[in-house]
């Protein structure tokens, strides 16, 4: 195994020293849950364990008004999530029905655990996380049925909420200081998602972003407050990694797209993003490699002002380096907001593709190489 990056070693040493100090002062731990997902064969469970002042049994049953105000402040100010001390190598037990699975947190205090043979039926469920020094907590998980063929993968920044990322000062203000209640949702996006999912009961929506796991609670409250459907969030670690100072956001998105294609092989995804960063190229690259897993691509077009705030120039990133969409087998639609995108994705969302037999597929491959068909073989990945 390669030696960890120097930045990771420094961070680990600082975290260990700080954790020891907090333990000596009587601090306990708290589990921060995050929505999980899975199929009939496996579940993917998320959570984080961090240090918190006092012990669970010390919490008053009837907190004072001032305590309630402090609790509200903790709920709404994102900067506290970035200075929280993770509990590393902390044992965590996951209970699914009567089955218990034990794991440990990683260097950031995170749990990302796959459980096979869970026995849960399709739909929403709760599993339970516990740790020796923390109160048990329930975590929602969505089990996607094997008959589900529709799903949405959505970016977050400038797709469902306006953050003006990655301009450093504004990004820092939005992430560390502003309440999520003061952030602006992108018009029409929540309506579009709700209507699309209402037409396909059981279809999942997965929020895929280069944002940090630390912001998951704030983002969850923002999505709930603004009417977005519930779904798992796939975020990244913030800070040094074992390979460098920061994790590659593009590689994170690329890896998670392919992982979802493997884990939910019957789902054809509608990929929703914006043209302010790298979504058009990442989505078209994925669609070119896995056209059987993509129903279509929907790109929200930022205004000239948003483009300037996002990357200093008033044009989209794919105007400078166009994504190769000419020979793409899946449709690409664009619009300034969710209302326009909803109108343009309606046809491709409701389109049903007839499953083809292996004999039909082999025949088409042999006889029609230069003009690939618009319908594809459904079913588990056979690569």
């Amino acid at each position: 195994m390669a030696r960890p990056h120097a930045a990771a070693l420094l961070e680990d040493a600082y975290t260990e020293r700080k954790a020891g100090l907090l333990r000596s002062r009587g601090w306990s731990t708290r589990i921060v849950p995050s929505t999980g997902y899975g199929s009939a064969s496996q579940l993917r469970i998320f959570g984080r364990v961090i240090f918190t002042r006092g012990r669970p049994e010390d919490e008053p049953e009837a907190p004072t008004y001032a305590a309630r105000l402090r609790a509200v402040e903790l709920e709404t100010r994102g900067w506290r999530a970035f200075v929280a001390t993770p509990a590393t190598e902390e044992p965590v037990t996951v209970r699914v029905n009567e089955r218990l699975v034990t794991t440990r947190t990683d260097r950031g205090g995170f749990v990302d655990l796959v459980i096979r043979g869970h026995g849960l039926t399709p739909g929403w469920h709760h599993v339970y996380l516990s740790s020796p020094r923390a109160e048990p907590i329930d975590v929602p998980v969505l089990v996607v049925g094997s008959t589900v063929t529709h799903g949405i993968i959505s970016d977050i920044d400038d797709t469902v909420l306006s953050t003006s990322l990655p301009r450093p000062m504004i990004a820092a203000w939005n992430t560390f200081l502003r309440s999520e209640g003061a952030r602006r949702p992108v018009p029409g996006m929540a309506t579009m998602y709700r209507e699309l999912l209402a037409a396909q009961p059981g279809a999942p929506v997965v929020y895929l972003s280069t944002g940090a796991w630390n912001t998951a609670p704030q983002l969850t409250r923002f999505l709930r407050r603004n009417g977005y459907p519930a779904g798992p969030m796939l975020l990244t670690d913030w800070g040094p990694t074992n390979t460098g100072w920061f994790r590659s956001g593009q590689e994170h998105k690329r890896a998670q797209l392919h992982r979802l294609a493997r884990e939910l092989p019957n789902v054809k995804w509608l990929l929703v993003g914006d043209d302010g960063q790298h979504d058009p190229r990442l989505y078209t690259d994925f669609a070119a490699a896995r056209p059987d897993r993509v129903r279509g691509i929907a790109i929200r077009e930022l205004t000239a002002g948003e483009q300037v705030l996002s990357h200093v120039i008033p044009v989209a990133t794919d105007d400078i380096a166009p994504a190769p969409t000419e020979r793409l087998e899946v449709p690409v639609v664009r619009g300034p907001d969710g209302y326009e995108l909803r109108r343009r994705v309606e046809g491709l969302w409701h389109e049903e593709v007839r499953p083809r037999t292996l004999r039909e597929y082999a025949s088409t491959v042999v006889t029609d190489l230069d003009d690939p068909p618009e319908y594809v073989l459904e079913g588990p990945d056979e690569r």
Side-chain angles (χ1 to χ4, degrees):
M1 182 176 179
R3 177 181 172 82
H5 192 272
L9 294 175
L10 289 173
E11 183 185 47
D12 291 346
Y14 170 76
T15 299
E16 183 178 358
R17 189 179 184 88
K18 186 177 179 183
L21 177 63
L22 296 181
R23 288 192 190 97
S24 68
R25 295 187 175 183
W27 284 44
S28 186
T29 59
R30 177 166 60 95
I31 301 174
V32 181
S34 188
T35 302
Y37 71 93
S39 63
S41 60
Q42 65 180 37
L43 290 178
R44 191 178 180 189
I45 307 298
F46 304 106
R48 192 186 188 204
V49 183
I50 60 174
F51 280 91
T52 185
R53 187 186 300 274
R55 295 184 177 277
E57 59 268 22
D58 296 335
E59 294 292 329
E61 295 183 3
T64 63
Y65 180 73
R68 291 195 186 98
L69 291 181
R70 286 195 296 272
V72 170
E73 176 71 8
L74 287 172
E75 288 288 321
T76 57
R77 294 297 181 184
W79 65 269
R80 294 179 184 272
F82 287 86
V83 299
T85 303
T88 62
E89 290 296 316
E90 191 79 0
V92 174
T93 299
V94 181
R95 179 167 66 87
V96 183
N97 289 332
E98 300 303 319
R99 182 182 175 187
L100 300 178
V101 179
T102 301
T103 185
R104 288 185 177 271
T105 59
D106 65 11
R107 56 184 299 272
F110 297 101
V111 171
D112 184 350
L113 177 67
V114 173
I115 300 178
R116 293 180 173 83
H118 51 79
L120 298 178
T121 58
W124 284 98
H125 299 272
H126 282 85
V127 301
Y128 296 87
L129 271 62
S130 61
S131 188
R133 295 180 297 159
E135 282 290 301
I137 193 168
D138 62 305
V139 180
V141 294
L142 174 62
V143 178
V144 181
S146 58
T147 60
V148 173
T149 58
H150 291 64
I152 299 172
I153 296 177
S154 172
D155 181 41
I156 296 179
D157 301 326
D158 290 320
T159 299
V160 303
L161 64 86
S162 296
T163 58
S164 303
L165 292 172
R167 186 175 177 181
M169 294 303 294
I170 297 179
W173 174 260
N174 285 333
T175 301
F176 293 103
L177 297 176
R178 291 186 71 183
S179 160
E180 78 274 358
R183 295 184 178 183
R184 295 187 299 109
V186 174
M189 296 301 290
T191 301
M192 181 180 82
Y193 290 176
R194 290 198 308 270
E195 292 181 356
L196 291 178
L197 296 187
Q200 295 291 336
V205 55
V206 178
Y207 299 97
L208 174 59
S209 173
T210 59
W213 278 113
N214 311 61
T215 63
Q218 290 82 12
L219 290 174
T220 300
R221 290 191 296 271
F222 173 89
L223 295 173
R224 186 189 305 121
R225 179 179 290 109
N226 289 281
Y228 285 94
M233 285 186 290
L234 303 179
L235 307 175
T236 60
D237 294 345
W238 185 81
T241 70
N242 285 331
T243 58
W245 285 97
F246 295 99
R247 184 181 304 274
S248 169
Q250 294 184 55
E251 287 303 319
H252 161 71
K253 279 192 170 183
R254 187 174 292 110
Q256 295 303 323
L257 286 170
H258 285 279
R259 179 166 182 170
L260 286 167
R262 293 193 306 270
E263 293 176 332
L264 302 173
N266 295 321
V267 177
K268 293 190 68 174
W269 299 96
L270 174 65
L271 309 178
V272 187
D274 64 86
D275 62 3
Q277 296 186 51
H278 305 287
D279 290 342
R281 179 164 293 278
L282 287 171
Y283 286 168
T284 52
D285 287 348
F286 176 70
R290 307 298 298 271
D292 55 332
R293 298 293 183 266
V294 180
R295 188 169 298 275
I297 299 173
I299 299 297
R300 186 225 164 191
E301 298 174 313
L302 273 61
T303 65
E306 289 174 319
Q307 293 287 0
V308 170
L309 290 175
S310 180
H311 52 82
V312 189
I313 53 178
V315 296
T317 54
D318 56 337
D319 288 340
I320 302 170
T325 59
E326 293 80 5
R327 295 184 59 82
L328 204 62
E329 296 182 35
V330 302
V332 180
V333 299
R334 293 171 175 268
D337 54 34
Y339 299 116
E340 183 63 25
L341 286 175
R342 172 70 180 88
R343 184 179 65 83
R344 297 183 180 184
V345 304
E346 184 172 6
L348 62 95
W349 179 257
H350 292 291
E351 180 184 3
E352 292 294 341
V353 179
R354 180 178 65 86
R356 304 169 64 200
T357 66
L358 288 174
R359 184 181 299 277
E360 290 176 316
Y361 182 74
S363 174
T364 303
V365 170
V366 171
T367 60
D368 201 9
L369 288 176
D370 295 331
D371 187 18
E374 295 188 4
Y375 47 88
V376 296
L377 179 67
E378 298 282 356
D381 186 4
E382 298 181 352
R383 294 190 179 184

